[in-house]
Amino acid sequence: MTSKSTVLQNLPADLDRDRLPKHVAVIMDGNGRWAKRQGLPRIMGHRRGVYALKDLLRCCKDWGIPALTAYAFSTENWKRPLEEVDFLMTLFEGVLRQELREMVQENVRINFMGNLADLPRSLQVEIERSMAETQHNASIQFTVATNYGGRQEILQACRAIATQVQEGVLQPDEIDEALFSRHLYTAKVGDPDLLIRTSGEMRLSNFLLWQLAYAELYITETLWPDFDRAEFHRALCAYQQRDRRFGKV
Ligand code: IPE
Ligand code: IPE
Ligand code: MG
C-alpha cells in the first residue's frame, strides 16, 4: 500500500492521478545538438542523455506511470559515422552492466525491442541478462527500442502471420487488429497514450508506426539531455488538457 501513498505524495498537485497516461513513449532526440552547443563532441551528448533517461524512468515510477518506452537506436542510425555507432553500442552495454543491480532493486522490468540479433554479441549478452533478471519485476515496464524500425516490425509481423496462413493454422479473415498487435514487439505493453519528442523535430522517424495511431503527440524544443522532471511535468499537463476523442464527437 505504500506505493499508492508514495504516488500521492510525489505527484505535482496540478496533475490528476486518475488521468495520467498508462504508457509514455519518448523519442530522445537532440544529443548531438546539445553537445555542439557546449562545444563538445557529439558523443558527450549521448553520455549526458543517459542521465536524462534514468531520471525520466524514476519519475514515471514515482508518479505511478506503469510503462515507459524509449527510442535509443533506430534501424537507420547505422548510417551514422562508425565511431559514433561504436560509441553508442559500447555505451548501451556499459550502462546496462552498471545499472542492472539498481533496476533489480527498484523493481523495474526491462525489455528490449528491435532487431536485437544484429547488435554486437557482447551487447546481446547484457540485454538477455537484464531481461532475465528483471522478468518478475512489476513497478514499471521499461522498454528500450534498440535497432528498432517501425516498418521492419510491421514486416516481421506480416511474415509470421503469412507463415501461419500458409501452414493452414490461420484463415485470412481471422487477421484483425488485435491479432496483428499480438505479433508486434508491444504485444504485452500495448499502445502508448503519449509520445514525447525532444529537440523540436516534427516527425516519427520510423518509431511505433502502428502503435501511435491514437497517441497524443507532445513535441518540445528542449534537447534530450536537458529534458528533466519539470519538462515532463509540462508534457503531462499538456496531455491532461487534451480531449482524446478516438474518432467520436
Ligand atoms: C538522439 O540524438 C540519439 C540517437 C539517435 C542515438 P541525436 O544524436 O540524433 O542528436 P541530434 O539530433 O543530432 O542533435
Ligand atoms: C530518432 O532520432 C531515433 C532516436 C532518437 C533513437 P534521429 O535523430 O535518428 O531522427 P532523424 O534522423 O532526425 O529523423
Ligand atoms: Mg537526431
Side-chain angles (χ1 to χ4, degrees):
M1 282 296 95
T2 49
S3 65
K4 206 77 182 180
S5 53
T6 318
V7 169
L8 278 172
Q9 270 169 29
N10 295 332
L11 191 70
D14 56 353
L15 288 176
D16 176 354
R17 72 184 176 108
D18 295 324
R19 289 175 48 247
L20 287 170
K22 292 190 168 49
H23 182 182
V24 173
V26 59
I27 301 177
M28 310 184 286
D29 197 16
N31 291 349
R33 276 163 282 179
W34 181 91
K36 198 173 170 207
R37 277 183 205 175
Q38 319 280 321
L40 298 168
R42 289 179 55 83
I43 56 168
M44 293 309 286
H46 298 316
R47 211 185 267 291
R48 279 296 292 264
V50 174
Y51 295 111
L53 181 58
K54 254 194 96 171
D55 230 35
L56 178 62
L57 175 62
R58 188 175 292 268
C59 193
C60 285
K61 199 185 153 235
D62 287 351
W63 293 354
I65 293 169
L68 172 67
T69 298
Y71 202 7
F73 194 89
S74 74
T75 46
E76 289 71 36
N77 287 149
W78 296 108
K79 295 173 194 158
R80 293 186 176 205
L82 184 63
E83 315 85 77
E84 182 169 343
V85 170
D86 279 351
F87 177 86
L88 283 167
M89 295 302 150
T90 310
L91 180 72
F92 297 155
E93 197 180 317
V95 168
L96 263 185
R97 203 174 282 134
Q98 207 172 302
E99 301 295 329
L100 182 58
R101 187 197 300 263
E102 197 175 325
M103 286 195 285
V104 170
Q105 279 166 359
E106 298 266 336
N107 203 17
V108 172
R109 179 171 183 175
I110 189 165
N111 217 334
F112 284 80
M113 64 175 190
N115 189 356
L116 306 181
D118 284 350
L119 294 171
R121 189 62 213 143
S122 54
L123 175 56
Q124 288 184 50
V125 169
E126 292 305 322
I127 285 176
E128 280 155 24
R129 192 206 317 275
S130 65
M131 294 203 299
E133 286 192 23
T134 64
Q135 63 177 325
H136 301 298
N137 289 359
S139 75
I140 184 166
Q141 290 269 351
F142 174 43
T143 307
V144 187
T146 315
N147 193 17
Y148 171 88
R151 289 184 170 180
Q152 177 265 329
E153 178 186 34
I154 289 170
L155 287 178
Q156 63 84 31
C158 289
R159 275 184 223 111
I161 292 167
T163 304
Q164 289 186 8
V165 172
Q166 193 177 38
E167 288 168 348
V169 294
L170 188 70
Q171 294 303 312
D173 59 8
E174 290 174 315
I175 303 169
D176 58 11
E177 291 186 14
L179 180 132
F180 198 83
S181 296
R182 284 199 294 278
H183 282 85
L184 299 175
Y185 299 128
T186 46
K188 288 206 184 79
V189 75
D191 297 346
D193 301 299
L194 170 64
L195 171 76
I196 297 170
R197 182 166 189 155
T198 55
S199 86
E201 243 65 74
M202 303 281 184
R203 53 177 174 260
L204 294 179
S205 302
N206 205 10
F207 192 41
L208 299 175
L209 298 180
W210 170 280
Q211 297 91 334
L212 291 172
Y214 266 102
E216 293 298 325
L217 310 182
Y218 181 86
I219 292 160
T220 170
E221 291 294 327
T222 300
L223 304 174
W224 176 249
D226 291 329
F227 190 87
D228 58 11
R229 245 168 217 247
E231 286 284 345
F232 187 45
H233 180 192
R234 267 193 285 283
L236 292 175
C237 286
Y239 173 81
Q240 293 201 332
Q241 316 241 303
R242 305 279 177 89
D243 179 14
R244 301 189 76 191
R245 285 189 291 278
F246 299 100
K248 296 176 263 185
V249 289

